[in-house]
Amino acid sequence: MKSIGAYFIFLGSMFVRRESFSSYFKLTINECISIGWNSILIVAITSTFMGAVTTVQTAYNLVSPLIQNYVVAQVTREMVVLELAPTITAIVIAGKVGSSIASGLGTMRITEQIDALEVMGVNASSYLVLPKIIAAMIMYPLLVVIAGFLALYGGYIAGTMTGILTETEYVYGIRIDFNPFTIQFALIKSVVFAFLIASISAYQGFFTTGGALEVGKSSTSAVTKSCIAVLLADYILAELLLN
Amino acid sequence: MIEINNISKSFDGTQILDDISGKFERGITNLIIGASGTGKSVLLKCIVGLITPEEGEVLYDGRSFLKADKEEKAQMRREIGMLFQGGALFDSKNIEENVMFPLDLLTDMKKDEKLDRVNNVLSRVGLENINKKMPAEISGGQKKRVGIARAIVNDINYLFCDEPNSGLDPRTSLLIDELIQEITHELNVTTIMVTHDMNSVMGVGEYIMYLARGKKVWEGNSDNILTSGQEDLEDFIFASKFMKKLRKTL
Ligand SMILES: Nc1ncnc2c1ncn2[C@@H]1O[C@H](COP(=O)(O)OP(=O)(O)OP(=O)(O)O)[C@@H](O)[C@H]1O
Ligand SMILES: [Mg+2]
């Protein structure tokens, strides 16, 4: 409970005593590259397989002469867009980006680089953390869009190659009864998840005390805590926006 | 000159600093010494404003950090340079960018002016042709030198060093101590250096404040420290068997 309070104080502290806009711009671009670009490969791999597996397993569970083949594609679409692309990707990103944010800041803390910034009059939390959070909130939704497309494509390949359904059936299933709000919902979720992952990991890293061992611990707890926060937020958002 | 008046600080109910006062004059190397865990680093952090003490004030030539407004604070920041224990160089920047960082941040100098200034201070600390190296690629002693260069790259009035020679061999330690002392005299800055190294104490201790259990127990300089008659301090100085033996011969 105490640490949740400290987390909010930490978030607030980022908005006082900021540097010039241009320096933030440059830092944010750098972070966009390290958070977004460097995650594309892992996101591409996980999402393609995710889509493929979803299609195959849905087909496996829907063996009935009464259910038409295209339904498999439709179910895949709903699962991918609503849940798998934003949430599973968030877990992957928590592991990759969250741990690197926490260990990077933790190392800066224990080697006194953060103190050095503060002595020079820089608001270290804002200078180091704000660009990461903004970059994550910009890049993560883009990653989710890519993940969504690739997952559907993975489903397409798996579905047609194994003969579960034909190409026409898959495309038909993907398009039927499509509700565009699901896309909006996925994007809202991804912005929230990105904020949670970046800010929780930054908080864990920023307040590391001790040595190299503690940096490792901060990084582990950044991943666990952001995963839990993502799943909680996932549930809350589903309750709020889908009911 | 830096003046500290009645500084007290505790963490979680444990008193770390207890009513410490003192004056650190300009143009000499002022040392804060004491055993591990007595609060030397905490005191230094109070002085530079990284930690706010519960009581007491710190005056930079009469100016109080705590009472300064935004402009005055920024001005005072420009006048402060600090060397950290491990150098605290930014891992993601090369040597040149590290040393240039305070200039980028605190001045409106043009790029080539800044570069000139950076090369000047780097050669002042005896480092040339390492501009493009990364911190991970240089030795511990070189890191300290880069740290000093970064600390003095602005026209500073105050220089703070937290254990500048920890982790260095005795010879390199001495060189770093002497470099700090020379810079102090040359730039006529107020230097405060935290150390528990007796070589530094005897070598460059122009003013020495000895802390024990959070209190100022003794002050003086390297000329009278060996004859202080202060029991605590003598235990600190003559800690090793060798030194105890040496003491008998004094
Ligand atoms: N941020 C903090 N929170 C809680 N306790 C702290 C904090 N900083 C320092 N302390 C405590 O204050 C005491 C003094 O620490 P300090 O780092 O000043 O010692 P030191 O004299 O510099 O020792 P050394 O020579 O080993 O560097 C220690 O017991 C330490 O645990
Ligand atoms: Mg210390």
Side-chain angles (χ1 to χ4, degrees):
Chain A
M1 243 12 237
K2 208 172 142 198
S3 69
I4 292 178
Y7 169 71
F8 282 108
I9 293 171
F10 170 68
L11 291 181
S13 74
M14 292 189 304
F15 295 96
V16 291
R17 208 156 51 82
R18 279 164 302 169
E19 305 310 311
S20 69
F21 178 76
S22 65
S23 61
Y24 277 100
F25 184 74
K26 223 176 112 201
L27 291 165
T28 306
I29 298 294
N30 288 341
E31 295 296 341
C32 281
I33 294 169
S34 85
I35 291 174
W37 182 248
N38 295 344
S39 307
I40 285 186
L41 185 65
I42 178 89
V43 167
I45 294 171
T46 46
S47 56
T48 310
F49 278 96
M50 200 162 72
V53 171
T54 311
T55 305
V56 172
Q57 292 196 347
T58 310
Y60 174 76
N61 284 303
L62 290 183
V63 271
S64 155
L66 294 177
I67 297 171
Q68 289 189 284
N69 280 347
Y70 74 82
V71 175
V72 172
Q74 194 185 355
V75 171
T76 304
R77 178 196 75 203
E78 290 300 310
M79 285 179 65
V80 163
V81 174
L82 272 180
E83 188 62 22
L84 297 179
T87 313
I88 301 292
T89 313
I91 306 287
V92 172
I93 292 293
K96 185 174 187 305
V97 174
S99 64
S100 97
I101 289 179
S103 60
L105 289 174
T107 306
M108 290 191 77
R109 167 64 74 193
I110 64 162
T111 56
E112 297 181 303
Q113 293 174 50
I114 291 180
D115 286 340
L117 282 171
E118 296 275 354
V119 166
M120 293 175 205
V122 178
N123 178 354
S125 61
S126 139
Y127 184 84
L128 295 173
V129 178
L130 205 53
K132 293 191 203 305
I133 294 182
I134 294 172
M137 288 167 76
I138 296 171
M139 298 311 282
Y140 184 62
L142 295 178
L143 288 174
V144 168
V145 171
I146 294 173
F149 274 109
L150 288 176
L152 292 180
Y153 186 64
Y156 171 82
I157 293 178
T160 53
M161 284 210 327
T162 52
I164 293 170
L165 72 183
T166 65
E167 290 165 20
T168 340
E169 281 169 335
Y170 191 85
V171 175
Y172 179 75
I174 292 288
R175 299 180 64 171
I176 194 165
D177 281 339
F178 176 65
N179 176 3
F181 176 71
T182 52
I183 301 279
Q184 273 178 43
F185 180 60
L187 291 178
I188 293 171
K189 284 206 318 190
S190 54
V191 173
V192 173
F193 293 169
F195 175 79
L196 288 172
I197 293 170
S199 61
I200 291 173
S201 307
Y203 171 78
Q204 290 296 326
F206 201 80
F207 294 107
T208 305
T209 48
L213 198 63
E214 280 75 14
V215 173
K217 280 185 193 152
S218 297
S219 158
T220 312
S221 86
V223 176
T224 2
K225 285 182 184 162
S226 28
C227 284
I228 293 170
V230 161
L231 295 173
L232 257 174
D234 192 25
Y235 175 72
I236 293 169
L237 286 173
E239 284 285 340
L240 285 179
L241 297 175
L242 294 185
N243 284 344
Chain B
M1 183 182 74
I2 292 177
E3 216 179 322
I4 57 175
N5 297 321
N6 314 98
I7 300 279
S8 294
K9 177 73 194 173
S10 54
F11 284 115
D12 316 316
T14 321
Q15 188 92 9
I16 304 291
L17 300 176
D18 188 3
D19 195 29
I20 296 181
S21 302
K23 273 186 189 151
F24 305 98
E25 299 287 345
R26 175 184 280 264
I28 61 171
T29 44
N30 298 281
L31 306 189
I32 298 173
I33 66 169
S36 235
T38 41
K40 304 182 295 293
S41 296
V42 173
L43 179 58
L44 196 67
K45 284 180 178 163
C46 285
I47 296 175
V48 295
L50 286 173
I51 294 179
T52 311
E54 275 120 32
E55 273 169 61
E57 59 173 3
V58 179
L59 296 175
Y60 285 69
D61 290 300
R63 296 170 296 174
S64 160
F65 223 111
L66 295 173
K67 291 184 195 130
D69 64 25
K70 209 171 163 227
E71 274 302 294
E72 289 167 333
K73 258 194 191 137
Q75 175 56 34
M76 286 163 78
R77 288 282 171 216
R78 271 194 286 276
E79 297 176 26
I80 291 177
M82 183 154 180
L83 169 64
F84 287 87
Q85 208 158 334
L89 304 180
F90 304 119
D91 294 325
S92 56
K93 297 182 190 294
N94 67 27
I95 302 308
E96 183 178 293
E97 290 163 340
N98 258 288
V99 179
M100 201 181 282
F101 189 77
L103 296 177
D104 291 336
L105 203 68
L106 302 166
T107 71
D108 314 313
M109 287 161 86
K110 289 203 194 63
K111 178 87 191 175
D112 43 342
E113 282 178 298
K114 286 192 274 196
L115 199 58
D116 265 359
R117 180 81 193 145
V118 167
N119 287 326
N120 261 334
V121 288
L122 278 175
S123 74
R124 177 63 195 86
V125 299
L127 292 175
E128 263 140 16
N129 304 321
I130 63 158
N131 287 36
K132 301 294 175 203
K133 289 218 164 118
M134 298 306 281
E137 297 169 336
I138 61 177
S139 75
Q142 285 175 319
K143 276 184 197 152
K144 297 275 163 85
R145 285 172 191 270
V146 176
I148 296 174
R150 186 177 68 183
I152 63 172
V153 71
N154 271 313
D155 273 321
I156 58 163
N157 281 320
Y158 312 97
L159 177 62
F160 302 99
C161 311
D162 194 355
E163 303 199 14
N165 40 30
S166 70
L168 300 179
D169 65 88
R171 220 184 133 72
T172 313
S173 298
L174 195 69
L175 289 174
I176 296 286
D177 283 342
E178 282 170 356
L179 180 62
I180 291 170
Q181 190 174 36
E182 280 165 27
I183 285 170
T184 304
H185 294 167
E186 204 172 291
L187 305 177
N188 192 29
V189 294
T190 307
T191 296
I192 302 181
M193 182 166 136
V194 164
T195 184
H196 45 206
D197 183 305
M198 275 317 286
N199 289 320
S200 314
V201 173
M202 299 315 294
V204 298
E206 295 174 273
Y207 165 83
I208 300 166
M209 175 186 279
Y210 173 68
L211 298 187
R213 296 173 304 278
K215 284 192 183 348
K216 178 171 101 178
V217 176
W218 181 86
E219 63 185 334
N221 57 43
S222 57
D223 293 332
N224 57 21
I225 192 168
L226 293 180
T227 53
S228 66
Q230 220 289 333
E231 208 169 314
D232 238 337
L233 179 58
E234 294 200 334
D235 279 350
F236 174 75
I237 299 172
F238 303 103
S240 70
K241 273 204 179 103
F242 169 73
M243 289 299 280
K244 285 202 175 82
K245 221 183 262 170
L246 197 69
R247 183 185 176 189
K248 294 209 181 86
T249 68
L250 277 178

